[in-house]
Amino acid sequence: MTESKKTLKITSKEVKDFFGSLRQFFVQYYKDFFNGVKTLDKGDLSIKLISVLCISVAFAFFCYLREGTGDLYMRVFIPAFFANAFVVLFGCVNKSSRFYSILTVFLVTTGFALQIFMIDVTDTKHDPVEKVEEYITFIFVGLLLSMLVMPVLAFVTAENTDTKILRYLIIGGTVLLYLILLVFGKEVNGAKAWIEVGFSIQITEITKVLAGIYFVLCLTDKNLSEKDKGLRTLIVLFIHAAFLALVNEFGTLIMIGFVYLMLKILFTKNKKLILKELLCLVVIFAVLLGVCYGFYKTAPETTVENKPTATEKVTEEVDAEEATEAEESSSQDADGSKDKKEPLTPQKLVDEALERVRTIYPKIEKRFNIFLGNGELTKDDTYQTDSVKMALHYAEWLGTEKGWFGFVPEINCDFVFVYLVARLGIVGAIMVLVVLVLLFAETFIFAARSKKPRESALAICFICFIVVQSLLCMCCNLALFPVVGLPFAFLSDGGSALCVNLMMSFFIIYFMRKECALPIESEATENV
Amino acid sequence: MFDVEFKKIGAAIVSMVVALSFVICSVCIYGTGLIPGVNPEADQARMDIAVAKRKANTVEGSFVDRFGNSITTATEKGEPAIANYPESFSPIIGYNSSRMGTDGLRNVLRSHLYDGGKDGVGATVQLTINASMQEKLYKLLDGHVGSISIINAETGEIVAMVSRGDPEIGYNINIIDDVYEKAENEDEEDKYYSDLYDTVPEFYYNRATLAQDPPGSTAKVMTATALVSNDREDLVYNDETGYYLNNTIHNFDYEIMGECDIKKGLNKSSNVYFANAGVELGGARLEKTYEKFMVGETIELDFDTLNSTFLAEDSTYSDFKIASNAYGQGDLVMAPLHVAMMMGSIMNKGEMMKPYLIEKITDDNKTVYKKDVETLSKVADKDTCKKVKDLLITNAEYYKLYDVFDKEDITIIAKTGTAELANTNLHHIYYAVGVELEGVPYGICIDRENVAGTSGELKSIAINVIDILMSETAE
């Protein structure tokens, strides 16, 4: 009997069982982990550690040759080495049978190098060491979070876990996070994807992962009928689409949409149903876009602050730090307390939401116009693409010497690939591209031989978030795709994305443990 | 665990990712321009970047005139060369500014001037200009906005080309960075440079090549050529009113000229006669002759591009349009250098040569560039040109130029031009001259912008220009 025919009500026994088994999983996971440490294959670990050392030293030497100084890089690569060593250790403890961990190390190290190179580009007023320490902190926080989240992911992907409560929790959590974002979110470059809690957290990175987990749970649940799976995933996709359009985070929406399609194609047996769902999806999106267009044409414009143009923004960035300091000091009143912000009222929130809905269509239209070169485009409109094109011309086969690329906006984040090409050269870019393809292929190959379909599905979902997102980021950089603000996994600046990417990589390493792989013979027999 | 279908779809997805990676790789290599010749835009940008990198370690190459006299001199690496005749050469050579990059010939030849080669010094560029003549001609401009161009009509060499774009500012490339620095650091209350340089940027302009104005009656030379080419030189028009086409076109000062033939039309510069000639010939035939004079064509020179217009875009033939164009107004616009080329081609038996400024470039004691003479167009056959030339000689007589110069020493043809400007009482005035001196034909154009008077006031300058040309040639 499928779940749809059962009651939707969750009993207290089910909840109790759910949390009981989650607790057991936690205990069991760490027990297994420490057992793994005791029974480590020292030969395997040594080889991998030497590889990590070689990669780190090679990069340090490369940086020395490029920049002419070594001390900063050595100071960076020692913690980088330990962080990477931990990734490799995790792979060995889980008896991960593949080279995934080494490839991840390569990406993390490249990210380190680029962020260090970029100090002169983006943070001229910051102490380089401070910037590097910040990056290292992100890495270690990412490692710690990954270790904490791993048991949960192991529990989620266990074949005998009841997914009903999990699915409700995920939907509830997702909506809650989006609501928090809409009310308390911080807007950066037009996208309201961050909240400030002493430090910035990119909420959409978390909701992206939650969306992936939900799709996996739904599509691999044997208790759900094919139609139910289709309906539920579609609803969740629309929840994400609606909120992400409201916060103007189209990059994340594209990635969630891509993962949805990928998992649908791979895990739905009835291919005709996929076609029907896709058709339905296209029609609904077209209708929604039409509604946005209608709203844009008919709704009156509400009062919005004048936003600076791209060129103004670049000029402003130079003085951003001084301005912030001045603002902070000026906002102190006679009592020394800071000025209070305007209170958030429901009316204000509704007005803001309506204004956001009104601007969805023109924003999409503008991105496409810039991409296609249609319509009347100002210099500000094409500033991003023009400056990226110009920065590419600095590239050599083996990279360039220290150069100023501050004229490219968001070069440390959305346009980091251009910086990679310019500084590490075409050869460096090709190496990163090869690593991404190997990561992708390796995950798929292992998934095909895995005993655990749910783990495979989540691993495929995560590898898409890492690799396909990076490839799309490259496409945006090279004007092969409209600029939608997608960061490059491990290379782009941003703590939230780095932590989430590390967590996803840890899961893939965990997924690739030897005990989960089918032996080649049995695989052959099964195929026959 | 998974079925064969999963593996097939998985393999297809991985293949797509691999294919996408190849596309990214290819676009990336294309975008960078690392393979020369594949992406011209990137090639140009890479050249600029390379030049900028080399520039800091190179002593800027120098310019010399046709006799090898130094025009610019540089001694320090990365520092701009000093112009020895700054104001007369500034519009041609252009600036090398730390804040604005390069302009003029310095921009066109940046790959030569800022490439140190073996000796760490940029190339030496020999120009066709006579520096001494250039200086003398610049003085003749006397602070007025305008230009003087002289080309050797037989070869296309530009012998002299001076220009002034602004009545207040004499363009001096040696002090451009200093002036802008002063402008930036001026007090708000005591502004001089910042106001001057912010509101009057035209001083960069090389009027001789960039001005796009109606040539006025100098265009009648081309209409006369059209009449002769089409066997209509016997055309006579009885001007009884001084007006033409329902009073839309009139002669200068509304003069009634009576019975007018081509000679009288040219001598007295009758607008009515040439307006009628244009209508009689028809738009197609008139345009054909103008096209032979390269009007409406883009002429790529070794230092700039010459543009001109016969009929504006989206414009069609009408009697008024043809009549207006035929006497040098209407849609017709061309640069003063083009007017000099026109006169030169009549003197050179109908051969219009491509003007050039760069004689040769030498680097590390090797000649890396040498200009070849190039014919642009055959404006008319020899007989036609002879007839037009004779008519224009009578013009020179009519202007009393032969009172100053001896016919045995020099052959002179001339045509004045006064272009009326819309909504103002000011004019652009021209004095177009062709001379043959010791068997060498020259085309000359003198122009002055926004003046209240007429082209006749340029006569004394024209005499001086011919005089300078004669003395310099004799030397």
Side-chain angles (χ1 to χ4, degrees), chain A residues 262 271 392-393 395-396 426 433 437 440 447 450-451 518 523 526, chain B residues 1-3 5 7 13 17 21 25 31-32 34 41-42 45-46:
Chain A
M262 176 83 83
K271 303 297 176 198
L392 270 180
H393 298 144
E396 300 292 342
I426 295 287
L433 206 54
V437 172
F440 194 75
S450 172
K451 292 173 190 170
L518 281 173
E523 185 190 23
E526 192 186 314
Chain B
M1 186 74 196
F2 291 107
D3 55 13
E5 197 175 80
K7 287 172 187 167
I13 291 167
V17 166
S21 306
C25 241
T32 55
L34 277 166
E41 193 189 337
R46 291 184 72 81

PDB file of all heavy atoms in Angstrom, chain A residues 262 271 392-393 395-396 426 433 437 440 447 450-451 518 523 526, chain B residues 1-3 5 7 13 17 21 25 31-32 34 41-42 45-46:
ATOM      1  N   MET A 262      17.642  16.067 -13.341  1.00  0.00           N
ATOM      2  CA  MET A 262      18.637  14.982 -13.358  1.00  0.00           C
ATOM      3  C   MET A 262      18.132  13.781 -12.562  1.00  0.00           C
ATOM      4  O   MET A 262      18.164  12.635 -13.044  1.00  0.00           O
ATOM      5  CB  MET A 262      19.936  15.520 -12.750  1.00  0.00           C
ATOM      6  CG  MET A 262      21.030  14.521 -12.613  1.00  0.00           C
ATOM      7  SD  MET A 262      21.906  14.342 -14.126  1.00  0.00           S
ATOM      8  CE  MET A 262      23.010  15.701 -14.018  1.00  0.00           C
ATOM      9  N   LYS A 271       9.205   6.555 -18.036  1.00  0.00           N
ATOM     10  CA  LYS A 271       9.762   7.715 -18.753  1.00  0.00           C
ATOM     11  C   LYS A 271       8.670   8.589 -19.367  1.00  0.00           C
ATOM     12  O   LYS A 271       8.862   9.793 -19.573  1.00  0.00           O
ATOM     13  CB  LYS A 271      10.735   7.264 -19.849  1.00  0.00           C
ATOM     14  CG  LYS A 271      11.882   6.412 -19.352  1.00  0.00           C
ATOM     15  CD  LYS A 271      12.788   7.142 -18.370  1.00  0.00           C
ATOM     16  CE  LYS A 271      13.854   6.217 -17.820  1.00  0.00           C
ATOM     17  NZ  LYS A 271      14.481   6.687 -16.594  1.00  0.00           N
ATOM     18  N   LEU A 392      40.047  38.484 -19.661  1.00  0.00           N
ATOM     19  CA  LEU A 392      40.473  37.226 -20.311  1.00  0.00           C
ATOM     20  C   LEU A 392      41.683  37.449 -21.226  1.00  0.00           C
ATOM     21  O   LEU A 392      42.507  36.557 -21.406  1.00  0.00           O
ATOM     22  CB  LEU A 392      39.327  36.670 -21.153  1.00  0.00           C
ATOM     23  CG  LEU A 392      38.342  35.713 -20.481  1.00  0.00           C
ATOM     24  CD1 LEU A 392      37.287  35.279 -21.472  1.00  0.00           C
ATOM     25  CD2 LEU A 392      39.028  34.495 -19.905  1.00  0.00           C
ATOM     26  N   HIS A 393      41.758  38.662 -21.786  1.00  0.00           N
ATOM     27  CA  HIS A 393      42.860  38.936 -22.716  1.00  0.00           C
ATOM     28  C   HIS A 393      44.221  38.973 -22.018  1.00  0.00           C
ATOM     29  O   HIS A 393      45.247  38.966 -22.685  1.00  0.00           O
ATOM     30  CB  HIS A 393      42.619  40.267 -23.446  1.00  0.00           C
ATOM     31  CG  HIS A 393      41.377  40.250 -24.282  1.00  0.00           C
ATOM     32  ND1 HIS A 393      40.571  41.335 -24.443  1.00  0.00           N
ATOM     33  CD2 HIS A 393      40.798  39.254 -24.987  1.00  0.00           C
ATOM     34  CE1 HIS A 393      39.550  41.013 -25.211  1.00  0.00           C
ATOM     35  NE2 HIS A 393      39.667  39.760 -25.556  1.00  0.00           N
ATOM     36  N   ALA A 395      45.256  36.655 -20.151  1.00  0.00           N
ATOM     37  CA  ALA A 395      45.667  35.270 -19.876  1.00  0.00           C
ATOM     38  C   ALA A 395      46.791  34.810 -20.796  1.00  0.00           C
ATOM     39  O   ALA A 395      46.901  35.235 -21.940  1.00  0.00           O
ATOM     40  CB  ALA A 395      44.465  34.354 -20.037  1.00  0.00           C
ATOM     41  N   GLU A 396      47.633  33.957 -20.249  1.00  0.00           N
ATOM     42  CA  GLU A 396      48.665  33.282 -21.042  1.00  0.00           C
ATOM     43  C   GLU A 396      48.438  31.787 -20.846  1.00  0.00           C
ATOM     44  O   GLU A 396      47.629  31.380 -20.031  1.00  0.00           O
ATOM     45  CB  GLU A 396      50.068  33.661 -20.547  1.00  0.00           C
ATOM     46  CG  GLU A 396      50.388  35.144 -20.631  1.00  0.00           C
ATOM     47  CD  GLU A 396      50.520  35.663 -22.051  1.00  0.00           C
ATOM     48  OE1 GLU A 396      50.696  34.847 -22.961  1.00  0.00           O
ATOM     49  OE2 GLU A 396      50.398  36.884 -22.237  1.00  0.00           O
ATOM     50  N   ILE A 426      45.605  29.104 -19.138  1.00  0.00           N
ATOM     51  CA  ILE A 426      44.707  28.116 -19.743  1.00  0.00           C
ATOM     52  C   ILE A 426      45.018  26.729 -19.173  1.00  0.00           C
ATOM     53  O   ILE A 426      44.121  25.935 -18.925  1.00  0.00           O
ATOM     54  CB  ILE A 426      44.895  28.110 -21.283  1.00  0.00           C
ATOM     55  CG1 ILE A 426      44.457  29.443 -21.872  1.00  0.00           C
ATOM     56  CG2 ILE A 426      44.139  26.965 -21.928  1.00  0.00           C
ATOM     57  CD1 ILE A 426      42.976  29.676 -21.891  1.00  0.00           C
ATOM     58  N   LEU A 433      39.264  22.028 -14.833  1.00  0.00           N
ATOM     59  CA  LEU A 433      38.151  21.462 -15.603  1.00  0.00           C
ATOM     60  C   LEU A 433      38.242  19.928 -15.619  1.00  0.00           C
ATOM     61  O   LEU A 433      37.234  19.227 -15.434  1.00  0.00           O
ATOM     62  CB  LEU A 433      38.234  22.014 -17.033  1.00  0.00           C
ATOM     63  CG  LEU A 433      36.966  22.106 -17.850  1.00  0.00           C
ATOM     64  CD1 LEU A 433      35.892  22.875 -17.112  1.00  0.00           C
ATOM     65  CD2 LEU A 433      37.250  22.792 -19.175  1.00  0.00           C
ATOM     66  N   VAL A 437      35.545  17.189 -14.141  1.00  0.00           N
ATOM     67  CA  VAL A 437      34.975  16.099 -14.946  1.00  0.00           C
ATOM     68  C   VAL A 437      35.265  14.758 -14.290  1.00  0.00           C
ATOM     69  O   VAL A 437      34.396  13.878 -14.220  1.00  0.00           O
ATOM     70  CB  VAL A 437      35.532  16.152 -16.390  1.00  0.00           C
ATOM     71  CG1 VAL A 437      35.110  14.931 -17.173  1.00  0.00           C
ATOM     72  CG2 VAL A 437      35.044  17.401 -17.093  1.00  0.00           C
ATOM     73  N   PHE A 440      32.999  14.221 -11.368  1.00  0.00           N
ATOM     74  CA  PHE A 440      31.644  13.925 -11.838  1.00  0.00           C
ATOM     75  C   PHE A 440      31.559  12.468 -12.323  1.00  0.00           C
ATOM     76  O   PHE A 440      30.667  11.717 -11.921  1.00  0.00           O
ATOM     77  CB  PHE A 440      31.302  14.893 -12.976  1.00  0.00           C
ATOM     78  CG  PHE A 440      29.848  14.942 -13.324  1.00  0.00           C
ATOM     79  CD1 PHE A 440      28.947  15.602 -12.510  1.00  0.00           C
ATOM     80  CD2 PHE A 440      29.369  14.319 -14.464  1.00  0.00           C
ATOM     81  CE1 PHE A 440      27.597  15.659 -12.823  1.00  0.00           C
ATOM     82  CE2 PHE A 440      28.022  14.364 -14.791  1.00  0.00           C
ATOM     83  CZ  PHE A 440      27.138  15.030 -13.971  1.00  0.00           C
ATOM     84  N   ALA A 447      28.259   5.256  -8.400  1.00  0.00           N
ATOM     85  CA  ALA A 447      26.806   5.157  -8.182  1.00  0.00           C
ATOM     86  C   ALA A 447      26.234   3.958  -8.930  1.00  0.00           C
ATOM     87  O   ALA A 447      25.342   3.260  -8.437  1.00  0.00           O
ATOM     88  CB  ALA A 447      26.122   6.433  -8.636  1.00  0.00           C
ATOM     89  N   SER A 450      26.917   0.948  -6.808  1.00  0.00           N
ATOM     90  CA  SER A 450      26.647   1.020  -5.370  1.00  0.00           C
ATOM     91  C   SER A 450      25.473   0.118  -4.987  1.00  0.00           C
ATOM     92  O   SER A 450      24.540  -0.092  -5.760  1.00  0.00           O
ATOM     93  CB  SER A 450      26.334   2.469  -4.992  1.00  0.00           C
ATOM     94  OG  SER A 450      25.901   2.519  -3.671  1.00  0.00           O
ATOM     95  N   LYS A 451      25.583  -0.385  -3.735  1.00  0.00           N
ATOM     96  CA  LYS A 451      24.496  -1.216  -3.222  1.00  0.00           C
ATOM     97  C   LYS A 451      23.362  -0.350  -2.686  1.00  0.00           C
ATOM     98  O   LYS A 451      22.305  -0.850  -2.350  1.00  0.00           O
ATOM     99  CB  LYS A 451      25.009  -2.077  -2.062  1.00  0.00           C
ATOM    100  CG  LYS A 451      25.999  -3.147  -2.446  1.00  0.00           C
ATOM    101  CD  LYS A 451      26.516  -3.767  -1.149  1.00  0.00           C
ATOM    102  CE  LYS A 451      27.681  -4.683  -1.420  1.00  0.00           C
ATOM    103  NZ  LYS A 451      28.338  -5.102  -0.169  1.00  0.00           N
ATOM    104  N   LEU A 518      29.369  -2.949  -5.269  1.00  0.00           N
ATOM    105  CA  LEU A 518      29.106  -4.327  -5.684  1.00  0.00           C
ATOM    106  C   LEU A 518      30.386  -4.892  -6.285  1.00  0.00           C
ATOM    107  O   LEU A 518      31.096  -4.181  -6.994  1.00  0.00           O
ATOM    108  CB  LEU A 518      28.028  -4.337  -6.764  1.00  0.00           C
ATOM    109  CG  LEU A 518      26.575  -4.180  -6.318  1.00  0.00           C
ATOM    110  CD1 LEU A 518      25.706  -4.037  -7.545  1.00  0.00           C
ATOM    111  CD2 LEU A 518      26.147  -5.372  -5.492  1.00  0.00           C
ATOM    112  N   GLU A 523      28.076  -7.786 -10.453  1.00  0.00           N
ATOM    113  CA  GLU A 523      27.523  -6.764 -11.335  1.00  0.00           C
ATOM    114  C   GLU A 523      27.312  -7.364 -12.733  1.00  0.00           C
ATOM    115  O   GLU A 523      26.267  -7.189 -13.340  1.00  0.00           O
ATOM    116  CB  GLU A 523      28.503  -5.589 -11.416  1.00  0.00           C
ATOM    117  CG  GLU A 523      27.974  -4.422 -12.195  1.00  0.00           C
ATOM    118  CD  GLU A 523      29.053  -3.392 -12.451  1.00  0.00           C
ATOM    119  OE1 GLU A 523      30.248  -3.748 -12.414  1.00  0.00           O
ATOM    120  OE2 GLU A 523      28.687  -2.254 -12.693  1.00  0.00           O
ATOM    121  N   GLU A 526      24.410  -9.687 -12.684  1.00  0.00           N
ATOM    122  CA  GLU A 526      23.137  -8.953 -12.626  1.00  0.00           C
ATOM    123  C   GLU A 526      22.741  -8.435 -14.012  1.00  0.00           C
ATOM    124  O   GLU A 526      21.599  -8.521 -14.427  1.00  0.00           O
ATOM    125  CB  GLU A 526      23.299  -7.759 -11.669  1.00  0.00           C
ATOM    126  CG  GLU A 526      21.975  -7.105 -11.323  1.00  0.00           C
ATOM    127  CD  GLU A 526      22.208  -5.857 -10.505  1.00  0.00           C
ATOM    128  OE1 GLU A 526      23.020  -5.942  -9.553  1.00  0.00           O
ATOM    129  OE2 GLU A 526      21.611  -4.826 -10.813  1.00  0.00           O
TER     130      GLU A 526
ATOM    131  N   MET B   1      23.635  -2.802  -8.721  1.00  0.00           N
ATOM    132  CA  MET B   1      22.385  -2.436  -8.064  1.00  0.00           C
ATOM    133  C   MET B   1      21.412  -1.811  -9.073  1.00  0.00           C
ATOM    134  O   MET B   1      20.248  -2.134  -9.105  1.00  0.00           O
ATOM    135  CB  MET B   1      22.683  -1.415  -6.959  1.00  0.00           C
ATOM    136  CG  MET B   1      21.484  -1.067  -6.110  1.00  0.00           C
ATOM    137  SD  MET B   1      21.078  -2.387  -4.997  1.00  0.00           S
ATOM    138  CE  MET B   1      19.433  -1.917  -4.511  1.00  0.00           C
ATOM    139  N   PHE B   2      21.954  -0.910  -9.894  1.00  0.00           N
ATOM    140  CA  PHE B   2      21.084  -0.234 -10.842  1.00  0.00           C
ATOM    141  C   PHE B   2      21.013  -0.983 -12.165  1.00  0.00           C
ATOM    142  O   PHE B   2      21.914  -1.731 -12.512  1.00  0.00           O
ATOM    143  CB  PHE B   2      21.576   1.193 -11.083  1.00  0.00           C
ATOM    144  CG  PHE B   2      21.401   2.068  -9.879  1.00  0.00           C
ATOM    145  CD1 PHE B   2      22.487   2.446  -9.115  1.00  0.00           C
ATOM    146  CD2 PHE B   2      20.139   2.479  -9.490  1.00  0.00           C
ATOM    147  CE1 PHE B   2      22.327   3.235  -8.005  1.00  0.00           C
ATOM    148  CE2 PHE B   2      19.971   3.267  -8.367  1.00  0.00           C
ATOM    149  CZ  PHE B   2      21.069   3.647  -7.618  1.00  0.00           C
ATOM    150  N   ASP B   3      19.947  -0.709 -12.875  1.00  0.00           N
ATOM    151  CA  ASP B   3      19.770  -1.425 -14.135  1.00  0.00           C
ATOM    152  C   ASP B   3      20.620  -0.808 -15.247  1.00  0.00           C
ATOM    153  O   ASP B   3      21.294   0.211 -15.055  1.00  0.00           O
ATOM    154  CB  ASP B   3      18.287  -1.437 -14.522  1.00  0.00           C
ATOM    155  CG  ASP B   3      17.721  -0.027 -14.563  1.00  0.00           C
ATOM    156  OD1 ASP B   3      18.528   0.921 -14.538  1.00  0.00           O
ATOM    157  OD2 ASP B   3      16.493   0.116 -14.595  1.00  0.00           O
ATOM    158  N   GLU B   5      19.646   0.644 -17.874  1.00  0.00           N
ATOM    159  CA  GLU B   5      19.151   1.949 -18.319  1.00  0.00           C
ATOM    160  C   GLU B   5      19.802   3.086 -17.525  1.00  0.00           C
ATOM    161  O   GLU B   5      20.195   4.109 -18.077  1.00  0.00           O
ATOM    162  CB  GLU B   5      17.639   1.994 -18.150  1.00  0.00           C
ATOM    163  CG  GLU B   5      17.026   3.127 -18.947  1.00  0.00           C
ATOM    164  CD  GLU B   5      15.517   3.096 -18.887  1.00  0.00           C
ATOM    165  OE1 GLU B   5      14.945   3.563 -17.881  1.00  0.00           O
ATOM    166  OE2 GLU B   5      14.942   2.592 -19.837  1.00  0.00           O
ATOM    167  N   LYS B   7      22.659   3.046 -16.150  1.00  0.00           N
ATOM    168  CA  LYS B   7      24.056   3.193 -16.589  1.00  0.00           C
ATOM    169  C   LYS B   7      24.149   3.933 -17.919  1.00  0.00           C
ATOM    170  O   LYS B   7      25.031   4.742 -18.147  1.00  0.00           O
ATOM    171  CB  LYS B   7      24.705   1.819 -16.694  1.00  0.00           C
ATOM    172  CG  LYS B   7      24.979   1.241 -15.320  1.00  0.00           C
ATOM    173  CD  LYS B   7      25.429  -0.177 -15.371  1.00  0.00           C
ATOM    174  CE  LYS B   7      25.504  -0.732 -13.958  1.00  0.00           C
ATOM    175  NZ  LYS B   7      25.639  -2.163 -13.907  1.00  0.00           N
ATOM    176  N   ILE B  13      24.913  11.369 -19.518  1.00  0.00           N
ATOM    177  CA  ILE B  13      25.063  12.625 -18.761  1.00  0.00           C
ATOM    178  C   ILE B  13      26.550  12.978 -18.617  1.00  0.00           C
ATOM    179  O   ILE B  13      26.965  14.115 -18.829  1.00  0.00           O
ATOM    180  CB  ILE B  13      24.376  12.517 -17.385  1.00  0.00           C
ATOM    181  CG1 ILE B  13      22.849  12.464 -17.567  1.00  0.00           C
ATOM    182  CG2 ILE B  13      24.743  13.695 -16.483  1.00  0.00           C
ATOM    183  CD1 ILE B  13      22.092  12.061 -16.327  1.00  0.00           C
ATOM    184  N   VAL B  17      28.618  16.259 -19.972  1.00  0.00           N
ATOM    185  CA  VAL B  17      29.482  17.119 -19.149  1.00  0.00           C
ATOM    186  C   VAL B  17      30.867  17.230 -19.792  1.00  0.00           C
ATOM    187  O   VAL B  17      31.467  18.315 -19.840  1.00  0.00           O
ATOM    188  CB  VAL B  17      29.565  16.575 -17.708  1.00  0.00           C
ATOM    189  CG1 VAL B  17      30.694  17.222 -16.932  1.00  0.00           C
ATOM    190  CG2 VAL B  17      28.244  16.809 -16.988  1.00  0.00           C
ATOM    191  N   SER B  21      32.598  20.572 -21.213  1.00  0.00           N
ATOM    192  CA  SER B  21      33.950  20.975 -20.805  1.00  0.00           C
ATOM    193  C   SER B  21      34.794  21.338 -22.021  1.00  0.00           C
ATOM    194  O   SER B  21      35.559  22.306 -21.992  1.00  0.00           O
ATOM    195  CB  SER B  21      34.647  19.842 -20.042  1.00  0.00           C
ATOM    196  OG  SER B  21      33.837  19.456 -18.986  1.00  0.00           O
ATOM    197  N   CYS B  25      36.405  24.912 -22.764  1.00  0.00           N
ATOM    198  CA  CYS B  25      37.845  25.021 -23.062  1.00  0.00           C
ATOM    199  C   CYS B  25      38.064  25.806 -24.356  1.00  0.00           C
ATOM    200  O   CYS B  25      38.895  26.724 -24.418  1.00  0.00           O
ATOM    201  CB  CYS B  25      38.397  23.616 -23.257  1.00  0.00           C
ATOM    202  SG  CYS B  25      39.640  23.225 -22.110  1.00  0.00           S
ATOM    203  N   GLY B  31      38.396  33.166 -26.424  1.00  0.00           N
ATOM    204  CA  GLY B  31      38.195  34.450 -25.739  1.00  0.00           C
ATOM    205  C   GLY B  31      39.496  35.107 -25.332  1.00  0.00           C
ATOM    206  O   GLY B  31      39.622  36.329 -25.374  1.00  0.00           O
ATOM    207  N   THR B  32      40.484  34.291 -24.964  1.00  0.00           N
ATOM    208  CA  THR B  32      41.758  34.869 -24.529  1.00  0.00           C
ATOM    209  C   THR B  32      42.571  35.387 -25.713  1.00  0.00           C
ATOM    210  O   THR B  32      43.401  36.272 -25.558  1.00  0.00           O
ATOM    211  CB  THR B  32      42.617  33.829 -23.788  1.00  0.00           C
ATOM    212  OG1 THR B  32      42.757  32.697 -24.644  1.00  0.00           O
ATOM    213  CG2 THR B  32      41.995  33.413 -22.477  1.00  0.00           C
ATOM    214  N   LEU B  34      44.694  33.543 -27.380  1.00  0.00           N
ATOM    215  CA  LEU B  34      46.054  32.986 -27.291  1.00  0.00           C
ATOM    216  C   LEU B  34      46.529  32.389 -28.620  1.00  0.00           C
ATOM    217  O   LEU B  34      47.723  32.230 -28.831  1.00  0.00           O
ATOM    218  CB  LEU B  34      46.112  31.928 -26.187  1.00  0.00           C
ATOM    219  CG  LEU B  34      46.322  32.509 -24.790  1.00  0.00           C
ATOM    220  CD1 LEU B  34      46.036  31.478 -23.725  1.00  0.00           C
ATOM    221  CD2 LEU B  34      47.737  33.031 -24.625  1.00  0.00           C
ATOM    222  N   GLU B  41      39.485  40.632 -32.443  1.00  0.00           N
ATOM    223  CA  GLU B  41      39.230  41.590 -31.355  1.00  0.00           C
ATOM    224  C   GLU B  41      40.185  41.300 -30.184  1.00  0.00           C
ATOM    225  O   GLU B  41      40.787  42.212 -29.614  1.00  0.00           O
ATOM    226  CB  GLU B  41      37.783  41.447 -30.905  1.00  0.00           C
ATOM    227  CG  GLU B  41      37.306  42.569 -30.027  1.00  0.00           C
ATOM    228  CD  GLU B  41      35.928  42.281 -29.421  1.00  0.00           C
ATOM    229  OE1 GLU B  41      35.184  41.474 -30.000  1.00  0.00           O
ATOM    230  OE2 GLU B  41      35.632  42.848 -28.378  1.00  0.00           O
ATOM    231  N   ALA B  42      40.313  40.004 -29.879  1.00  0.00           N
ATOM    232  CA  ALA B  42      41.202  39.619 -28.782  1.00  0.00           C
ATOM    233  C   ALA B  42      42.661  39.884 -29.159  1.00  0.00           C
ATOM    234  O   ALA B  42      43.464  40.297 -28.311  1.00  0.00           O
ATOM    235  CB  ALA B  42      41.004  38.148 -28.442  1.00  0.00           C
ATOM    236  N   ALA B  45      43.309  43.465 -28.509  1.00  0.00           N
ATOM    237  CA  ALA B  45      43.363  43.743 -27.070  1.00  0.00           C
ATOM    238  C   ALA B  45      44.662  43.217 -26.473  1.00  0.00           C
ATOM    239  O   ALA B  45      45.291  43.875 -25.632  1.00  0.00           O
ATOM    240  CB  ALA B  45      42.169  43.098 -26.375  1.00  0.00           C
ATOM    241  N   ARG B  46      45.089  42.040 -26.918  1.00  0.00           N
ATOM    242  CA  ARG B  46      46.335  41.460 -26.390  1.00  0.00           C
ATOM    243  C   ARG B  46      47.538  42.308 -26.808  1.00  0.00           C
ATOM    244  O   ARG B  46      48.489  42.464 -26.047  1.00  0.00           O
ATOM    245  CB  ARG B  46      46.510  40.012 -26.873  1.00  0.00           C
ATOM    246  CG  ARG B  46      45.508  39.053 -26.275  1.00  0.00           C
ATOM    247  CD  ARG B  46      45.793  37.634 -26.710  1.00  0.00           C
ATOM    248  NE  ARG B  46      46.991  37.132 -26.038  1.00  0.00           N
ATOM    249  CZ  ARG B  46      47.001  36.661 -24.807  1.00  0.00           C
ATOM    250  NH1 ARG B  46      45.889  36.604 -24.119  1.00  0.00           N
ATOM    251  NH2 ARG B  46      48.108  36.234 -24.254  1.00  0.00           N
TER     252      ARG B  46
END
